[in-house]
Amino acid sequence: MDTRKSGFLAVLLIFISIALVKSEDPYHFFEWKVTYGTMSPLGVPQQVILINDKFPGPVINCTSNNNIVVNVFNNLDEPFLLTWNGIQHRKNSWVDGTPGTMCPIQPGTNFTYKFQVKDQIGTYYYFPTTAMHRAAGGIGVIQVHSRPLIPVPFDNPADEFAVVVGDWFNKGHKSLKNLLDGGNSIGRPDGVHINGKSAQVGASAEPSWTFEAGKTYRFRFCNVGMRTSVNFRFQGHDMKLVEVEGSHLMQNDYMSMDLHVGQCMSVLVTADQPPKDYYLVISSRFTKQPYSTVATIRYAGNSAPASPELPTPPPAGTLGIAWSINQFRSFRWNLTASAARPNPQGSYHYGQINITRTIKLVNSRSYIDGKLRFALNGVSHIDPKTPLKLVEYFGAADKEFKYNLIQDEPPADVEKNVKIAPNVLNGTYRNFVEIVFENRENTIQTYHLDGYSFFAVAIEPGKWAPEKRKNYNLEDAVSRHNVAVFPGCWAAVMTTLDNAGMWSLRSEMWERFYLGQQLYVSVLSPERSLRDEYSLPETTQLCGIVANLPKPPPYV
């Protein structure tokens, strides 16, 4: 028997026996084989990354508080890691799947992730964080349902569909990596896709989804692209927005929705139109060259073709930015819905918690020794040879990085004297912090924080100042993990640092992430207690300078 598979069976039996003894929440077990394959998302054959021979990869369908065990076999020719975007990993950054927290899975080996979707519901996704693998696939949706006894604020749909969308490059992930390593930009994408496919109006295509007249369906959308915001809209059908990144919303109807890189949301669509084919339309936003694609929805028993007249896209340019900001402002957290939700320090009333720290982050683009780099507050992050979390845990942090190279206030000119180094901020456990992202560039940005959800309280044009707090939504801002920052605008979020660990705060524009527009927030529990953070798991892979060091005593 394959030793990797026998090891997984042993781990599986251990988890099952522990669950039976402790009456833990249910477990879901997955075995994934990561391989290369050939697909043509935009009609051009190229190497993609498949999970169990699929792109998009398998959907993880689970319920709040379930335990997820995923045994990942890396059959690529280079190291590989997966991160679970939006899953908070309470007390468990050991399996966060970023280069700052984990050693990569080496070719020909496997690693078993174990995490819990603790107190979460909603729509998330997983993707690779190594090299430029995100440009090649290895991506899928995570659907976390409410527990059966907890009602949701809408009737159960007839079915639900996971939809990954985003931009796509025909160059291939290794060519894109070579461009960045050589100090160049990856340039513009070649198009957009829907679940790894593209089609144009009038082209013959099998339907992607089938409706039955009178029934309502849930579509879970995630923008998994590299750099491009998209808009989605259904021909002839309204949408009811019900969930954004793990939060139920006050339900509004929309004709079209902007979805920025890294974001997920759920909409309900009712089959209330004359039976025939209809298009789902995906189009790019805020790009000099427009891109679009369609997928077909067919009413059961009918095959009359869809109309060639597509629904009108939202405005472009400055008017488009205002349109998208107004859409963000229309999102309101449903405070009466029964669901798992974050409640640090009474965050149902987060607007009444005193801010203990304000961190203002300004992104920049510059060239260092002729090579393109991106930075936050004048530091362009680079990963050390040993993951930051491991060297910190083993007491060897001073050998790999220094804390707080950046200040809470950016320098006057963030593009000058940019330093390339590991970028790690110390965070005080259980402090309530305000993070302000200020975008002085002419391209849209999106940011994600691992390990937490935050309250996205404001997006406005101009520069941020303390008096802008009077414009914050301090009552029902959406709890989420991703925020867009438009050109010449700022965005403010608030969160409690109540999840001990080492957590990635990053640009979701993957070119920018790869070239330094990211940092890590180290949140240490003063007591080093199992109550606050799990000890280093026995199955953790060690590498770099900690590979042969004795393990510190476990937390108690």
Side-chain angles (χ1 to χ4, degrees):
M1 178 184 289
D2 188 328
T3 56
R4 296 181 295 168
K5 185 167 291 189
S6 62
F8 174 62
L9 291 175
V11 171
L12 186 151
L13 291 173
I14 291 171
F15 284 142
I16 291 175
S17 62
I18 291 173
L20 291 174
V21 171
K22 293 187 175 183
S23 298
E24 282 191 82
D25 290 292
Y27 276 75
H28 295 272
F29 296 93
F30 302 89
E31 183 175 295
W32 288 358
K33 292 180 173 61
V34 181
T35 60
Y36 291 126
T38 301
M39 290 182 64
S40 307
L42 301 182
V44 177
Q46 63 187 106
Q47 185 183 73
V48 297
I49 293 175
L50 307 175
I51 296 180
N52 292 354
D53 297 324
K54 296 178 180 179
F55 172 63
V59 173
I60 294 180
N61 203 24
C62 59
T63 300
S64 177
N65 289 357
N66 284 177
N67 294 283
I68 310 300
V69 182
V70 187
N71 188 19
V72 178
F73 291 81
N74 178 14
N75 295 322
L76 307 183
D77 58 3
E78 52 189 345
F80 183 80
L81 267 182
L82 286 172
T83 193
W84 317 89
N85 216 50
I87 302 301
Q88 293 181 19
H89 304 303
R90 304 301 295 180
K91 307 191 294 185
N92 194 18
S93 66
W94 303 111
V95 294
D96 194 38
T98 61
T101 57
M102 294 180 63
C103 302
I105 307 169
Q106 295 299 316
T109 67
N110 68 306
F111 176 77
T112 301
Y113 291 88
K114 191 268 182 180
F115 57 89
Q116 187 179 23
V117 288
K118 182 70 172 173
D119 295 330
Q120 288 187 267
I121 57 96
T123 307
Y124 311 94
Y125 68 98
Y126 58 86
F127 72 94
T129 57
T130 37
M132 288 296 282
H133 292 151
R134 178 168 173 154
I139 296 168
V141 171
I142 306 171
Q143 302 177 163
V144 187
H145 297 270
S146 290
R147 286 173 286 182
L149 295 178
I150 299 178
V152 297
F154 50 87
D155 294 334
N156 288 333
D159 203 347
E160 56 183 38
F161 308 115
V163 189
V164 297
V165 299
D167 54 21
W168 192 266
F169 292 76
N170 287 331
K171 294 185 182 74
H173 66 102
K174 292 184 178 180
S175 295
L176 295 176
K177 182 178 182 296
N178 288 337
L179 282 171
L180 295 180
D181 290 343
N184 303 298
S185 170
I186 60 175
R188 299 175 184 173
D190 295 289
V192 292
H193 71 92
I194 302 173
N195 281 344
K197 299 178 181 178
S198 62
Q200 298 305 313
V201 173
S204 61
E206 289 299 311
S208 296
W209 307 280
T210 299
F211 282 0
E212 290 188 28
K215 293 186 176 182
T216 297
Y217 299 86
R218 181 176 184 172
F219 283 78
R220 297 176 182 258
F221 287 91
C222 290
N223 184 344
V224 302
M226 299 286 287
R227 61 184 298 173
T228 307
S229 298
V230 300
N231 180 271
F232 64 87
R233 50 203 184 274
F234 289 86
Q235 191 178 46
H237 296 72
D238 291 345
M239 299 175 282
K240 188 180 294 295
L241 181 65
V242 294
E243 176 253 336
V244 168
E245 296 169 19
S247 289
H248 291 313
L249 269 63
M250 300 302 293
Q251 295 171 17
N252 294 322
D253 290 335
Y254 298 87
M255 294 298 294
S256 69
M257 300 294 309
D258 275 358
L259 189 64
H260 306 293
V261 178
Q263 297 183 350
C264 296
M265 59 177 59
S266 293
V267 298
L268 299 179
V269 180
T270 299
D272 56 4
Q273 297 300 305
K276 66 184 189 74
D277 286 359
Y278 294 88
Y279 287 127
L280 164 65
V281 185
I282 302 291
S283 58
S284 61
R285 294 285 278 148
F286 316 118
T287 55
K288 291 182 179 179
Q289 179 178 340
Y291 308 97
S292 66
T293 189
V294 297
T296 301
I297 299 167
R298 176 163 296 169
Y299 276 63
N302 291 270
S303 58
S307 167
E309 296 182 9
L310 299 182
T312 304
T318 303
L319 288 177
I321 290 174
W323 187 95
S324 201
I325 291 176
N326 285 335
Q327 189 168 86
F328 161 84
R329 290 172 179 165
S330 73
F331 301 162
R332 291 289 187 267
W333 202 20
N334 188 337
L335 300 179
T336 63
S338 298
R341 67 175 76 204
N343 191 29
Q345 297 185 14
S347 64
Y348 296 119
H349 306 290
Y350 65 93
Q352 300 173 21
I353 304 174
N354 291 330
I355 296 170
T356 55
R357 182 181 182 186
T358 297
I359 304 169
K360 182 178 175 182
L361 299 173
V362 176
N363 51 279
S364 64
R365 171 191 176 110
S366 58
Y367 284 85
I368 300 175
D369 296 328
K371 291 189 174 184
L372 178 64
R373 296 294 302 184
F374 298 95
L376 290 171
N377 287 13
V379 174
S380 184
H381 176 82
I382 188 169
D383 292 308
K385 293 182 179 179
T386 310
L388 300 161
K389 177 62 179 173
L390 288 178
V391 294
E392 182 180 71
Y393 184 78
F394 277 80
D398 58 338
K399 297 180 180 179
E400 292 281 5
F401 69 93
K402 294 181 180 179
Y403 294 100
N404 301 322
L405 289 181
I406 65 171
Q407 303 300 311
D408 289 355
E409 278 286 331
D413 192 339
V414 295
E415 294 185 1
K416 289 185 177 180
N417 303 316
V418 171
K419 178 183 294 186
I420 299 177
N423 197 357
V424 183
L425 276 180
N426 259 327
T428 303
Y429 187 53
R430 292 184 175 170
N431 268 14
F432 189 68
V433 301
E434 170 188 54
I435 305 174
V436 177
F437 301 97
E438 192 171 279
N439 181 12
R440 300 175 187 173
E441 298 185 63
N442 61 2
T443 57
I444 190 172
Q445 312 287 319
T446 60
Y447 290 96
H448 169 87
L449 176 60
D450 279 355
Y452 298 91
S453 59
F454 49 62
F455 297 98
V457 294
I459 296 176
E460 288 193 352
K463 293 186 176 181
W464 182 86
E467 58 267 22
K468 298 291 186 179
R469 293 188 181 119
K470 68 179 183 296
N471 298 332
Y472 285 6
N473 176 2
L474 297 180
E475 296 181 1
D476 57 0
V478 177
S479 174
R480 57 191 305 177
H481 56 77
N482 182 295
V483 67
V485 194
F486 297 89
C489 296
W490 57 267
V493 305
M494 304 164 78
T495 193
T496 300
L497 299 180
D498 63 342
N499 192 13
M502 180 77 74
W503 302 107
S504 168
L505 191 164
R506 61 178 178 264
S507 169
E508 286 282 56
M509 331 296 276
W510 216 241
E511 172 184 56
R512 289 175 170 268
F513 168 87
Y514 187 85
L515 294 182
Q517 195 170 311
Q518 56 166 311
L519 58 81
Y520 283 83
V521 181
S522 172
V523 183
L524 295 174
S525 164
E527 298 180 10
R528 301 296 180 98
S529 167
L530 278 176
R531 182 192 65 189
D532 301 326
E533 184 178 14
Y534 297 140
S535 296
L536 178 74
E538 287 295 325
T539 56
T540 298
Q541 300 174 109
L542 300 181
C543 56
I545 65 172
V546 304
N548 299 310
L549 294 180
K551 291 184 179 180
Y555 297 155
V556 294

Short mmCIF file of all heavy atoms in Angstrom, two decimals, residues 332-374:
data_model
loop_
_atom_site.label_atom_id
_atom_site.label_comp_id
_atom_site.label_asym_id
_atom_site.label_seq_id
_atom_site.Cartn_x
_atom_site.Cartn_y
_atom_site.Cartn_z
N ARG A 332 -26.28 45.57 4.30
CA ARG A 332 -26.52 45.73 5.73
C ARG A 332 -26.61 44.34 6.37
O ARG A 332 -27.32 43.47 5.87
CB ARG A 332 -27.81 46.51 6.00
CG ARG A 332 -27.72 47.99 5.61
CD ARG A 332 -26.81 48.73 6.58
NE ARG A 332 -26.80 50.17 6.37
CZ ARG A 332 -25.94 50.83 5.62
NH1 ARG A 332 -25.04 50.14 4.92
NH2 ARG A 332 -25.96 52.14 5.53
N TRP A 333 -25.91 44.18 7.47
CA TRP A 333 -25.91 42.91 8.20
C TRP A 333 -27.30 42.66 8.77
O TRP A 333 -27.92 43.58 9.34
CB TRP A 333 -24.88 43.00 9.32
CG TRP A 333 -24.38 41.69 9.85
CD1 TRP A 333 -24.42 40.48 9.24
CD2 TRP A 333 -23.73 41.50 11.10
NE1 TRP A 333 -23.83 39.53 10.03
CE2 TRP A 333 -23.40 40.12 11.19
CE3 TRP A 333 -23.37 42.34 12.15
CZ2 TRP A 333 -22.74 39.57 12.29
CZ3 TRP A 333 -22.72 41.79 13.26
CH2 TRP A 333 -22.40 40.43 13.32
N ASN A 334 -27.79 41.44 8.63
CA ASN A 334 -29.09 41.06 9.19
C ASN A 334 -28.89 40.68 10.65
O ASN A 334 -28.48 39.56 10.97
CB ASN A 334 -29.68 39.89 8.39
CG ASN A 334 -31.11 39.58 8.81
OD1 ASN A 334 -31.53 39.90 9.91
ND2 ASN A 334 -31.85 38.95 7.92
N LEU A 335 -29.17 41.61 11.55
CA LEU A 335 -28.91 41.40 12.98
C LEU A 335 -29.95 40.52 13.65
O LEU A 335 -29.77 40.10 14.79
CB LEU A 335 -28.83 42.74 13.70
CG LEU A 335 -27.75 43.71 13.21
CD1 LEU A 335 -27.81 45.02 13.99
CD2 LEU A 335 -26.37 43.09 13.32
N THR A 336 -31.05 40.23 12.96
CA THR A 336 -32.10 39.42 13.56
C THR A 336 -32.04 37.97 13.11
O THR A 336 -32.77 37.13 13.64
CB THR A 336 -33.50 39.99 13.22
OG1 THR A 336 -33.70 39.93 11.81
CG2 THR A 336 -33.60 41.44 13.70
N ALA A 337 -31.20 37.68 12.12
CA ALA A 337 -31.11 36.30 11.61
C ALA A 337 -30.41 35.42 12.63
O ALA A 337 -29.41 35.80 13.23
CB ALA A 337 -30.36 36.27 10.29
N SER A 338 -30.94 34.22 12.83
CA SER A 338 -30.29 33.25 13.70
C SER A 338 -29.21 32.54 12.91
O SER A 338 -29.50 31.87 11.93
CB SER A 338 -31.31 32.24 14.22
OG SER A 338 -32.31 32.88 15.00
N ALA A 339 -27.96 32.72 13.34
CA ALA A 339 -26.86 32.08 12.61
C ALA A 339 -25.60 32.19 13.44
O ALA A 339 -25.52 33.00 14.37
CB ALA A 339 -26.64 32.77 11.26
N ALA A 340 -24.64 31.33 13.12
CA ALA A 340 -23.32 31.50 13.71
C ALA A 340 -22.79 32.85 13.29
O ALA A 340 -22.88 33.25 12.14
CB ALA A 340 -22.39 30.40 13.22
N ARG A 341 -22.27 33.59 14.23
CA ARG A 341 -21.71 34.89 13.90
C ARG A 341 -20.64 35.26 14.92
O ARG A 341 -20.69 34.83 16.06
CB ARG A 341 -22.80 35.97 13.85
CG ARG A 341 -23.43 36.27 15.18
CD ARG A 341 -24.41 37.43 15.06
NE ARG A 341 -25.66 37.01 14.45
CZ ARG A 341 -26.47 37.86 13.82
NH1 ARG A 341 -26.16 39.12 13.72
NH2 ARG A 341 -27.60 37.43 13.30
N PRO A 342 -19.67 36.06 14.52
CA PRO A 342 -18.61 36.45 15.46
C PRO A 342 -19.19 37.37 16.53
O PRO A 342 -20.06 38.19 16.27
CB PRO A 342 -17.61 37.21 14.58
CG PRO A 342 -18.44 37.71 13.44
CD PRO A 342 -19.50 36.69 13.21
N ASN A 343 -18.71 37.21 17.76
CA ASN A 343 -19.20 38.07 18.83
C ASN A 343 -18.07 38.43 19.79
O ASN A 343 -18.20 38.29 21.00
CB ASN A 343 -20.33 37.38 19.59
CG ASN A 343 -21.05 38.34 20.53
OD1 ASN A 343 -21.11 39.52 20.27
ND2 ASN A 343 -21.58 37.81 21.63
N PRO A 344 -16.90 38.88 19.29
CA PRO A 344 -15.82 39.26 20.19
C PRO A 344 -16.20 40.50 20.99
O PRO A 344 -16.65 41.50 20.45
CB PRO A 344 -14.64 39.54 19.25
CG PRO A 344 -15.30 39.94 17.97
CD PRO A 344 -16.56 39.12 17.89
N GLN A 345 -16.04 40.41 22.29
CA GLN A 345 -16.30 41.54 23.18
C GLN A 345 -17.68 42.17 22.91
O GLN A 345 -17.85 43.39 22.95
CB GLN A 345 -15.22 42.61 23.04
CG GLN A 345 -13.85 42.12 23.46
CD GLN A 345 -12.81 43.21 23.45
OE1 GLN A 345 -13.14 44.39 23.38
NE2 GLN A 345 -11.55 42.85 23.53
N GLY A 346 -18.66 41.33 22.62
CA GLY A 346 -19.99 41.87 22.37
C GLY A 346 -20.10 42.58 21.05
O GLY A 346 -20.65 43.68 20.96
N SER A 347 -19.59 41.98 19.95
CA SER A 347 -19.52 42.70 18.69
C SER A 347 -20.86 42.88 18.01
O SER A 347 -20.94 43.48 16.96
CB SER A 347 -18.54 42.00 17.74
OG SER A 347 -19.02 40.71 17.41
N TYR A 348 -21.96 42.35 18.60
CA TYR A 348 -23.25 42.77 18.10
C TYR A 348 -23.35 44.30 18.21
O TYR A 348 -24.07 44.95 17.47
CB TYR A 348 -24.40 42.15 18.91
CG TYR A 348 -24.48 40.65 18.83
CD1 TYR A 348 -24.33 39.86 19.96
CD2 TYR A 348 -24.70 40.02 17.61
CE1 TYR A 348 -24.43 38.49 19.90
CE2 TYR A 348 -24.78 38.64 17.52
CZ TYR A 348 -24.65 37.87 18.68
OH TYR A 348 -24.73 36.51 18.60
N HIS A 349 -22.61 44.84 19.15
CA HIS A 349 -22.57 46.29 19.38
C HIS A 349 -21.14 46.80 19.20
O HIS A 349 -20.60 47.51 20.04
CB HIS A 349 -23.09 46.62 20.78
CG HIS A 349 -24.45 46.05 21.06
ND1 HIS A 349 -25.59 46.51 20.46
CD2 HIS A 349 -24.84 45.03 21.87
CE1 HIS A 349 -26.64 45.82 20.88
NE2 HIS A 349 -26.21 44.91 21.74
N TYR A 350 -20.54 46.42 18.08
CA TYR A 350 -19.13 46.73 17.85
C TYR A 350 -18.87 48.23 17.84
O TYR A 350 -17.77 48.68 18.16
CB TYR A 350 -18.67 46.11 16.52
CG TYR A 350 -19.35 46.70 15.30
CD1 TYR A 350 -18.80 47.76 14.62
CD2 TYR A 350 -20.57 46.20 14.86
CE1 TYR A 350 -19.44 48.32 13.52
CE2 TYR A 350 -21.22 46.75 13.77
CZ TYR A 350 -20.65 47.81 13.10
OH TYR A 350 -21.28 48.37 12.02
N GLY A 351 -19.88 49.02 17.50
CA GLY A 351 -19.69 50.47 17.47
C GLY A 351 -19.50 51.10 18.83
O GLY A 351 -19.11 52.27 18.94
N GLN A 352 -19.75 50.33 19.89
CA GLN A 352 -19.59 50.85 21.25
C GLN A 352 -18.29 50.41 21.90
O GLN A 352 -18.03 50.74 23.06
CB GLN A 352 -20.78 50.39 22.11
CG GLN A 352 -22.13 50.87 21.58
CD GLN A 352 -23.30 50.26 22.36
OE1 GLN A 352 -23.15 49.81 23.49
NE2 GLN A 352 -24.47 50.25 21.73
N ILE A 353 -17.45 49.65 21.15
CA ILE A 353 -16.18 49.20 21.70
C ILE A 353 -15.11 50.26 21.43
O ILE A 353 -15.00 50.78 20.32
CB ILE A 353 -15.77 47.86 21.05
CG1 ILE A 353 -16.87 46.81 21.23
CG2 ILE A 353 -14.47 47.35 21.67
CD1 ILE A 353 -16.61 45.51 20.49
N ASN A 354 -14.33 50.57 22.43
CA ASN A 354 -13.27 51.58 22.28
C ASN A 354 -12.15 51.04 21.39
O ASN A 354 -11.66 49.93 21.59
CB ASN A 354 -12.70 51.97 23.64
CG ASN A 354 -13.69 52.74 24.47
OD1 ASN A 354 -14.55 53.46 23.95
ND2 ASN A 354 -13.60 52.59 25.79
N ILE A 355 -11.75 51.84 20.41
CA ILE A 355 -10.63 51.49 19.54
C ILE A 355 -9.33 51.64 20.33
O ILE A 355 -9.07 52.69 20.93
CB ILE A 355 -10.60 52.39 18.30
CG1 ILE A 355 -11.86 52.17 17.44
CG2 ILE A 355 -9.34 52.15 17.46
CD1 ILE A 355 -12.03 53.19 16.34
N THR A 356 -8.51 50.59 20.35
CA THR A 356 -7.24 50.66 21.08
C THR A 356 -6.05 50.94 20.17
O THR A 356 -4.98 51.30 20.65
CB THR A 356 -6.99 49.34 21.83
OG1 THR A 356 -7.04 48.26 20.91
CG2 THR A 356 -8.05 49.13 22.91
N ARG A 357 -6.24 50.77 18.87
CA ARG A 357 -5.12 50.98 17.95
C ARG A 357 -5.67 51.24 16.56
O ARG A 357 -6.60 50.57 16.12
CB ARG A 357 -4.21 49.76 17.94
CG ARG A 357 -2.97 49.87 17.05
CD ARG A 357 -2.16 48.60 17.12
NE ARG A 357 -0.94 48.67 16.33
CZ ARG A 357 -0.11 47.65 16.13
NH1 ARG A 357 -0.37 46.46 16.68
NH2 ARG A 357 0.99 47.80 15.40
N THR A 358 -5.08 52.20 15.87
CA THR A 358 -5.41 52.48 14.47
C THR A 358 -4.18 52.22 13.62
O THR A 358 -3.11 52.77 13.87
CB THR A 358 -5.87 53.93 14.28
OG1 THR A 358 -7.07 54.14 15.03
CG2 THR A 358 -6.16 54.22 12.82
N ILE A 359 -4.33 51.34 12.65
CA ILE A 359 -3.25 51.00 11.72
C ILE A 359 -3.66 51.50 10.35
O ILE A 359 -4.66 51.07 9.80
CB ILE A 359 -2.99 49.49 11.67
CG1 ILE A 359 -2.69 48.94 13.07
CG2 ILE A 359 -1.85 49.16 10.72
CD1 ILE A 359 -2.69 47.42 13.15
N LYS A 360 -2.89 52.41 9.81
CA LYS A 360 -3.18 52.96 8.49
C LYS A 360 -2.17 52.41 7.49
O LYS A 360 -0.96 52.56 7.67
CB LYS A 360 -3.11 54.49 8.52
CG LYS A 360 -3.45 55.16 7.20
CD LYS A 360 -3.39 56.68 7.37
CE LYS A 360 -3.60 57.41 6.05
NZ LYS A 360 -3.49 58.88 6.21
N LEU A 361 -2.67 51.75 6.45
CA LEU A 361 -1.82 51.10 5.47
C LEU A 361 -2.01 51.74 4.10
O LEU A 361 -3.14 51.88 3.62
CB LEU A 361 -2.15 49.61 5.39
CG LEU A 361 -1.94 48.80 6.67
CD1 LEU A 361 -2.46 47.38 6.51
CD2 LEU A 361 -0.47 48.79 7.07
N VAL A 362 -0.90 52.11 3.49
CA VAL A 362 -0.91 52.72 2.16
C VAL A 362 -0.10 51.84 1.22
O VAL A 362 1.06 51.52 1.50
CB VAL A 362 -0.34 54.15 2.18
CG1 VAL A 362 -0.26 54.73 0.77
CG2 VAL A 362 -1.19 55.05 3.08
N ASN A 363 -0.72 51.44 0.14
CA ASN A 363 -0.03 50.61 -0.86
C ASN A 363 0.80 51.46 -1.80
O ASN A 363 0.51 52.63 -2.02
CB ASN A 363 -1.05 49.80 -1.66
CG ASN A 363 -2.18 50.66 -2.22
OD1 ASN A 363 -3.12 50.97 -1.48
ND2 ASN A 363 -2.12 51.03 -3.48
N SER A 364 1.84 50.86 -2.37
CA SER A 364 2.68 51.59 -3.33
C SER A 364 3.28 50.64 -4.34
O SER A 364 3.40 49.43 -4.10
CB SER A 364 3.80 52.34 -2.60
OG SER A 364 4.68 51.44 -1.95
N ARG A 365 3.66 51.22 -5.45
CA ARG A 365 4.31 50.49 -6.55
C ARG A 365 5.61 51.20 -6.85
O ARG A 365 5.63 52.43 -7.01
CB ARG A 365 3.39 50.48 -7.77
CG ARG A 365 4.00 49.95 -9.05
CD ARG A 365 3.09 50.26 -10.23
NE ARG A 365 3.68 49.85 -11.51
CZ ARG A 365 3.26 48.85 -12.25
NH1 ARG A 365 2.20 48.15 -11.86
NH2 ARG A 365 3.84 48.54 -13.38
N SER A 366 6.71 50.47 -6.95
CA SER A 366 8.00 51.10 -7.23
C SER A 366 8.93 50.07 -7.86
O SER A 366 8.61 48.88 -7.94
CB SER A 366 8.62 51.66 -5.94
OG SER A 366 8.78 50.64 -4.98
N TYR A 367 10.08 50.56 -8.31
CA TYR A 367 11.10 49.69 -8.88
C TYR A 367 12.33 49.75 -7.99
O TYR A 367 12.80 50.84 -7.61
CB TYR A 367 11.44 50.10 -10.30
CG TYR A 367 10.38 49.69 -11.30
CD1 TYR A 367 9.28 50.49 -11.53
CD2 TYR A 367 10.49 48.48 -12.00
CE1 TYR A 367 8.28 50.11 -12.43
CE2 TYR A 367 9.51 48.09 -12.90
CZ TYR A 367 8.41 48.91 -13.11
OH TYR A 367 7.43 48.51 -13.99
N ILE A 368 12.85 48.59 -7.64
CA ILE A 368 14.05 48.50 -6.83
C ILE A 368 15.09 47.72 -7.63
O ILE A 368 14.84 46.57 -8.02
CB ILE A 368 13.74 47.79 -5.49
CG1 ILE A 368 12.68 48.57 -4.71
CG2 ILE A 368 15.02 47.64 -4.67
CD1 ILE A 368 12.23 47.90 -3.45
N ASP A 369 16.21 48.36 -7.90
CA ASP A 369 17.25 47.78 -8.75
C ASP A 369 16.66 47.32 -10.08
O ASP A 369 17.01 46.25 -10.62
CB ASP A 369 17.93 46.60 -8.04
CG ASP A 369 18.67 47.03 -6.79
OD1 ASP A 369 19.17 48.17 -6.77
OD2 ASP A 369 18.73 46.24 -5.83
N GLY A 370 15.73 48.13 -10.60
CA GLY A 370 15.14 47.86 -11.90
C GLY A 370 14.05 46.82 -11.91
O GLY A 370 13.53 46.48 -12.98
N LYS A 371 13.67 46.31 -10.73
CA LYS A 371 12.65 45.27 -10.66
C LYS A 371 11.41 45.79 -9.94
O LYS A 371 11.49 46.49 -8.93
CB LYS A 371 13.18 44.03 -9.94
CG LYS A 371 14.25 43.28 -10.73
CD LYS A 371 14.59 41.95 -10.09
CE LYS A 371 15.54 41.15 -10.96
NZ LYS A 371 15.80 39.79 -10.39
N LEU A 372 10.26 45.40 -10.46
CA LEU A 372 8.97 45.83 -9.91
C LEU A 372 8.75 45.23 -8.53
O LEU A 372 8.97 44.04 -8.31
CB LEU A 372 7.85 45.40 -10.86
CG LEU A 372 6.41 45.72 -10.44
CD1 LEU A 372 6.19 47.23 -10.38
CD2 LEU A 372 5.42 45.07 -11.42
N ARG A 373 8.31 46.09 -7.59
CA ARG A 373 7.93 45.63 -6.26
C ARG A 373 6.69 46.41 -5.81
O ARG A 373 6.46 47.55 -6.22
CB ARG A 373 9.03 45.86 -5.23
CG ARG A 373 10.31 45.10 -5.44
CD ARG A 373 10.15 43.61 -5.29
NE ARG A 373 9.63 43.18 -4.00
CZ ARG A 373 9.49 41.90 -3.64
NH1 ARG A 373 9.80 40.94 -4.48
NH2 ARG A 373 9.01 41.58 -2.45
N PHE A 374 5.90 45.77 -4.95
CA PHE A 374 4.76 46.42 -4.31
C PHE A 374 4.98 46.38 -2.81
O PHE A 374 5.65 45.49 -2.29
CB PHE A 374 3.45 45.71 -4.68
CG PHE A 374 3.15 45.73 -6.15
CD1 PHE A 374 3.50 44.66 -6.97
CD2 PHE A 374 2.51 46.82 -6.73
CE1 PHE A 374 3.22 44.68 -8.33
CE2 PHE A 374 2.23 46.84 -8.09
CZ PHE A 374 2.59 45.77 -8.89
#
